[in-house]
Amino acid sequence: MKLTWYGHSAFRVETQGATILIDPYLVGNPSWNGGWEGPAEGVTHVLVTHGHDDHISGAVEVLKKSGAVLVANFEICMYLAGKGVGQDKINPGNIGGTVDCGAFTTTFVQALHSSSSQGQGGANTYLGNPGGLVLHFPNDKTLYHMGDTDIFSDMALVNELHEPKIGIVPVGDRFTMGGAVAALACRRFFKFETAIPCHFGTFPLLDQTADNFVSGLEGSGTKVALPKIGEPFTL
Protein backbone atom coordinates (compact mmCIF):
# COMPACT_ATOMS: atom_id res chain seq x y z
CA MET A 1 0.00 0.00 0.00
CA LYS A 2 1.34 3.42 -0.98
CA LEU A 3 0.14 6.58 0.74
CA THR A 4 0.68 10.27 0.08
CA TRP A 5 -0.23 12.99 2.57
CA TYR A 6 -1.30 16.37 1.22
CA GLY A 7 -1.46 18.04 4.62
CA HIS A 8 -4.33 18.27 7.09
CA SER A 9 -6.43 15.08 6.68
CA ALA A 10 -6.00 14.58 2.93
CA PHE A 11 -4.48 11.27 1.86
CA ARG A 12 -4.04 9.37 -1.37
CA VAL A 13 -4.09 5.58 -0.91
CA GLU A 14 -2.89 3.38 -3.74
CA THR A 15 -3.53 -0.34 -3.51
CA GLN A 16 -4.28 -3.21 -5.85
CA GLY A 17 -7.25 -2.27 -8.02
CA ALA A 18 -7.96 1.16 -6.53
CA THR A 19 -6.52 4.63 -6.05
CA ILE A 20 -8.35 6.51 -3.33
CA LEU A 21 -8.40 10.11 -2.14
CA ILE A 22 -9.66 10.62 1.41
CA ASP A 23 -10.83 14.08 2.52
CA PRO A 24 -9.28 15.80 -0.53
CA TYR A 25 -8.64 19.28 0.89
CA LEU A 26 -6.69 20.30 -2.21
CA VAL A 27 -8.17 23.75 -2.83
CA GLY A 28 -7.33 26.45 -0.28
CA ASN A 29 -5.19 24.17 1.88
CA PRO A 30 -2.37 26.24 3.46
CA SER A 31 -0.23 23.10 3.75
CA TRP A 32 -0.50 22.16 0.08
CA ASN A 33 0.20 24.44 -2.87
CA GLY A 34 0.58 21.74 -5.52
CA GLY A 35 -2.93 22.00 -6.95
CA TRP A 36 -5.57 19.30 -7.21
CA GLU A 37 -4.79 18.06 -10.71
CA GLY A 38 -1.78 15.89 -9.83
CA PRO A 39 -3.40 14.17 -6.84
CA ALA A 40 -6.47 13.51 -9.00
CA GLU A 41 -4.58 11.53 -11.63
CA GLY A 42 -5.82 7.95 -11.80
CA VAL A 43 -8.14 8.28 -8.81
CA THR A 44 -10.96 5.71 -8.75
CA HIS A 45 -12.65 6.72 -5.48
CA VAL A 46 -13.04 9.84 -3.36
CA LEU A 47 -13.96 9.20 0.28
CA VAL A 48 -15.17 11.94 2.63
CA THR A 49 -15.48 11.65 6.41
CA HIS A 50 -17.60 14.78 6.94
CA GLY A 51 -18.68 17.99 5.28
CA HIS A 52 -16.40 20.70 6.66
CA ASP A 53 -14.71 22.74 3.97
CA ASP A 54 -11.23 21.70 5.14
CA HIS A 55 -12.18 18.15 4.13
CA ILE A 56 -14.25 18.56 0.95
CA SER A 57 -12.72 21.63 -0.71
CA GLY A 58 -11.35 20.09 -3.88
CA ALA A 59 -13.69 17.12 -4.01
CA VAL A 60 -15.86 18.47 -6.83
CA GLU A 61 -12.85 19.30 -9.00
CA VAL A 62 -11.29 15.88 -8.46
CA LEU A 63 -14.53 14.00 -9.04
CA LYS A 64 -15.31 15.82 -12.28
CA LYS A 65 -11.80 15.38 -13.68
CA SER A 66 -11.23 11.78 -12.69
CA GLY A 67 -14.69 10.29 -13.03
CA ALA A 68 -14.10 8.69 -9.63
CA VAL A 69 -16.87 7.37 -7.42
CA LEU A 70 -17.79 9.43 -4.34
CA VAL A 71 -18.16 7.45 -1.11
CA ALA A 72 -19.66 9.53 1.70
CA ASN A 73 -22.76 9.88 3.79
CA PHE A 74 -26.06 10.50 2.00
CA GLU A 75 -26.14 14.23 2.71
CA ILE A 76 -22.64 14.86 1.34
CA CYS A 77 -23.37 12.75 -1.74
CA MET A 78 -26.52 14.76 -2.48
CA TYR A 79 -24.79 18.07 -1.75
CA LEU A 80 -21.93 17.37 -4.15
CA ALA A 81 -24.32 15.94 -6.75
CA GLY A 82 -26.00 19.34 -6.62
CA LYS A 83 -22.63 20.86 -7.54
CA GLY A 84 -22.26 18.74 -10.65
CA VAL A 85 -21.03 15.34 -9.50
CA GLY A 86 -22.86 12.68 -11.49
CA GLN A 87 -25.69 10.80 -9.80
CA ASP A 88 -24.18 7.61 -11.23
CA LYS A 89 -20.90 8.40 -9.45
CA ILE A 90 -22.09 8.38 -5.84
CA ASN A 91 -22.02 5.48 -3.38
CA PRO A 92 -23.69 6.71 -0.16
CA GLY A 93 -23.71 5.13 3.26
CA ASN A 94 -24.09 6.02 6.91
CA ILE A 95 -22.86 5.05 10.36
CA GLY A 96 -22.81 1.28 10.80
CA GLY A 97 -23.12 0.55 7.09
CA THR A 98 -20.62 -1.03 4.73
CA VAL A 99 -20.53 -0.22 1.02
CA ASP A 100 -18.88 -2.29 -1.70
CA CYS A 101 -16.34 -0.26 -3.64
CA GLY A 102 -15.19 -3.04 -5.93
CA ALA A 103 -11.55 -3.49 -4.97
CA PHE A 104 -12.30 -2.73 -1.30
CA THR A 105 -15.14 -2.04 1.13
CA THR A 106 -15.78 1.05 3.24
CA THR A 107 -17.49 0.88 6.62
CA PHE A 108 -18.82 4.07 8.19
CA VAL A 109 -18.14 4.32 11.92
CA GLN A 110 -18.83 6.91 14.58
CA ALA A 111 -16.83 10.11 15.12
CA LEU A 112 -17.43 12.84 17.71
CA HIS A 113 -17.46 16.06 15.74
CA SER A 114 -19.85 18.10 13.53
CA SER A 115 -20.48 18.36 9.80
CA SER A 116 -21.51 21.29 7.63
CA SER A 117 -20.34 23.52 4.81
CA GLN A 118 -20.15 27.27 5.18
CA GLY A 119 -21.84 29.35 2.51
CA GLN A 120 -22.14 33.04 1.80
CA GLY A 121 -22.92 35.25 4.77
CA GLY A 122 -21.79 32.60 7.23
CA ALA A 123 -24.80 30.32 6.70
CA ASN A 124 -24.04 26.64 7.24
CA THR A 125 -25.46 23.75 5.24
CA TYR A 126 -26.00 20.65 7.38
CA LEU A 127 -24.16 17.68 5.87
CA GLY A 128 -25.11 14.72 7.99
CA ASN A 129 -23.30 13.08 10.86
CA PRO A 130 -19.49 13.02 10.88
CA GLY A 131 -17.82 9.65 10.70
CA GLY A 132 -14.67 7.64 10.46
CA LEU A 133 -13.97 5.26 7.58
CA VAL A 134 -12.65 1.70 7.80
CA LEU A 135 -11.25 0.36 4.54
CA HIS A 136 -10.95 -3.41 4.09
CA PHE A 137 -8.80 -4.71 1.23
CA PRO A 138 -8.63 -8.34 0.10
CA ASN A 139 -4.84 -8.31 -0.19
CA ASP A 140 -3.75 -5.49 2.08
CA LYS A 141 -3.98 -4.30 5.67
CA THR A 142 -7.15 -2.74 7.02
CA LEU A 143 -6.94 1.06 7.28
CA TYR A 144 -8.97 3.26 9.62
CA HIS A 145 -9.20 6.99 8.88
CA MET A 146 -10.71 8.42 12.05
CA GLY A 147 -11.91 11.64 10.43
CA ASP A 148 -12.17 14.45 12.98
CA THR A 149 -12.96 13.13 16.43
CA ASP A 150 -12.31 13.07 20.12
CA ILE A 151 -11.57 9.85 21.95
CA PHE A 152 -14.67 7.74 22.68
CA SER A 153 -15.03 4.40 24.42
CA ASP A 154 -16.74 2.69 21.46
CA MET A 155 -13.42 2.85 19.64
CA ALA A 156 -13.03 -0.51 21.35
CA LEU A 157 -15.89 -1.84 19.23
CA VAL A 158 -14.31 -0.46 16.06
CA ASN A 159 -11.20 -2.45 16.91
CA GLU A 160 -13.16 -5.57 17.86
CA LEU A 161 -15.16 -5.54 14.64
CA HIS A 162 -12.45 -4.49 12.20
CA GLU A 163 -8.98 -4.97 13.76
CA PRO A 164 -7.40 -2.15 11.73
CA LYS A 165 -3.63 -2.29 11.42
CA ILE A 166 -3.13 1.22 10.01
CA GLY A 167 -4.63 4.23 11.77
CA ILE A 168 -4.86 7.78 10.43
CA VAL A 169 -5.35 9.83 13.58
CA PRO A 170 -6.22 13.53 14.14
CA VAL A 171 -3.90 15.08 16.74
CA GLY A 172 -4.16 18.88 16.35
CA ASP A 173 -6.37 19.69 19.37
CA ARG A 174 -9.07 22.41 19.57
CA PHE A 175 -11.32 20.85 16.88
CA THR A 176 -10.25 17.23 17.51
CA MET A 177 -8.43 15.39 20.25
CA GLY A 178 -4.89 16.55 20.92
CA GLY A 179 -1.77 14.44 20.58
CA ALA A 180 -1.64 13.06 24.11
CA VAL A 181 -5.29 12.00 24.06
CA ALA A 182 -4.92 10.58 20.55
CA ALA A 183 -1.99 8.48 21.77
CA LEU A 184 -4.11 7.26 24.67
CA ALA A 185 -6.86 6.27 22.22
CA CYS A 186 -4.38 4.25 20.18
CA ARG A 187 -2.90 2.57 23.25
CA ARG A 188 -6.18 1.77 24.96
CA PHE A 189 -8.41 0.75 22.07
CA PHE A 190 -6.27 -0.37 19.13
CA LYS A 191 -3.37 -2.57 18.12
CA PHE A 192 -2.17 -0.50 15.21
CA GLU A 193 1.01 -1.59 13.52
CA THR A 194 1.34 1.95 12.16
CA ALA A 195 -0.30 5.19 13.27
CA ILE A 196 -0.18 8.27 11.03
CA PRO A 197 -0.95 11.62 12.69
CA CYS A 198 -2.84 14.29 10.78
CA HIS A 199 -4.94 17.45 11.25
CA PHE A 200 -2.08 19.44 12.75
CA GLY A 201 0.01 22.39 11.61
CA THR A 202 -2.44 23.56 8.95
CA PHE A 203 -3.68 26.66 10.76
CA PRO A 204 -2.26 28.69 13.66
CA LEU A 205 -5.14 27.54 15.90
CA LEU A 206 -3.97 23.92 15.71
CA ASP A 207 -0.99 22.29 17.37
CA GLN A 208 1.88 22.83 14.98
CA THR A 209 3.59 19.47 15.50
CA ALA A 210 2.66 15.88 16.32
CA ASP A 211 5.27 15.73 19.07
CA ASN A 212 2.81 14.94 21.88
CA PHE A 213 1.40 12.06 19.85
CA VAL A 214 4.83 10.66 19.05
CA SER A 215 5.98 10.81 22.66
CA GLY A 216 2.69 9.37 23.87
CA LEU A 217 3.16 6.23 21.77
CA GLU A 218 6.77 5.59 22.73
CA GLY A 219 7.17 2.01 23.89
CA SER A 220 3.65 1.05 22.77
CA GLY A 221 4.67 -1.25 19.93
CA THR A 222 2.91 1.00 17.43
CA LYS A 223 5.15 2.66 14.87
CA VAL A 224 4.38 6.32 14.23
CA ALA A 225 4.85 7.30 10.59
CA LEU A 226 5.42 11.03 10.09
CA PRO A 227 5.10 11.52 6.34
CA LYS A 228 6.36 14.54 4.47
CA ILE A 229 3.71 16.44 2.60
CA GLY A 230 3.47 15.36 -1.02
CA GLU A 231 6.03 12.55 -0.73
CA PRO A 232 4.66 9.00 -1.22
CA PHE A 233 5.54 6.35 1.33
CA THR A 234 4.87 2.63 1.46
CA LEU A 235 3.44 0.51 4.26
Side-chain angles (χ1 to χ4, degrees):
M1 180 186 298
K2 183 165 72 173
L3 288 83
T4 307
W5 184 40
Y6 297 110
H8 210 54
S9 297
F11 286 83
R12 178 177 167 119
V13 180
E14 298 174 60
T15 189
Q16 184 176 346
T19 299
I20 305 156
L21 279 178
I22 305 176
D23 285 356
Y25 183 30
L26 300 168
V27 174
N29 181 350
S31 296
W32 172 251
N33 59 7
W36 58 267
E37 294 87 351
E41 287 294 331
V43 167
T44 59
H45 298 79
V46 173
L47 276 56
V48 179
T49 62
H50 65 289
H52 286 153
D53 295 330
D54 58 341
H55 293 258
I56 66 170
S57 182
V60 170
E61 291 86 346
V62 170
L63 288 159
K64 287 183 176 180
K65 173 183 173 64
S66 64
V69 174
L70 171 65
V71 181
N73 69 32
F74 179 81
E75 288 84 356
I76 291 172
C77 284
M78 293 300 101
Y79 177 73
L80 295 183
K83 293 185 176 295
V85 175
Q87 290 276 355
D88 60 338
K89 293 293 184 179
I90 60 174
N91 193 2
N94 215 323
I95 306 301
T98 297
V99 297
D100 187 351
C101 301
F104 64 102
T105 63
T106 300
T107 300
F108 296 81
V109 298
Q110 182 182 5
L112 296 182
H113 196 56
S114 56
S115 179
S116 64
S117 180
Q118 189 170 27
Q120 293 182 349
N124 286 310
T125 300
Y126 165 73
L127 290 178
N129 291 322
L133 302 172
V134 182
L135 280 58
H136 285 275
F137 305 96
N139 299 305
D140 226 326
K141 296 174 181 177
T142 298
L143 182 150
Y144 173 29
H145 191 305
M146 291 185 178
D148 284 6
T149 190
D150 187 19
I151 191 173
F152 56 95
S153 59
D154 280 349
M155 286 179 168
L157 283 175
V158 176
N159 185 66
E160 181 179 349
L161 291 168
H162 300 285
E163 298 182 336
K165 297 304 180 187
I166 301 168
I168 297 177
V169 185
V171 304
D173 212 347
R174 186 175 288 261
F175 301 108
T176 70
M177 54 190 171
V181 174
L184 174 63
C186 293
R187 280 180 173 271
R188 179 169 294 184
F189 299 120
F190 298 99
K191 297 179 181 178
F192 293 134
E193 294 177 4
T194 305
I196 306 165
C198 68
H199 209 280
F200 67 93
T202 319
F203 312 110
L205 287 174
L206 302 180
D207 286 352
Q208 296 302 293
T209 73
D211 291 352
N212 290 335
F213 183 69
V214 173
S215 62
L217 281 178
E218 287 180 357
S220 67
T222 295
K223 176 185 176 182
V224 178
L226 278 171
K228 294 183 179 180
I229 293 174
E231 296 187 9
F233 62 103
T234 301
L235 295 177

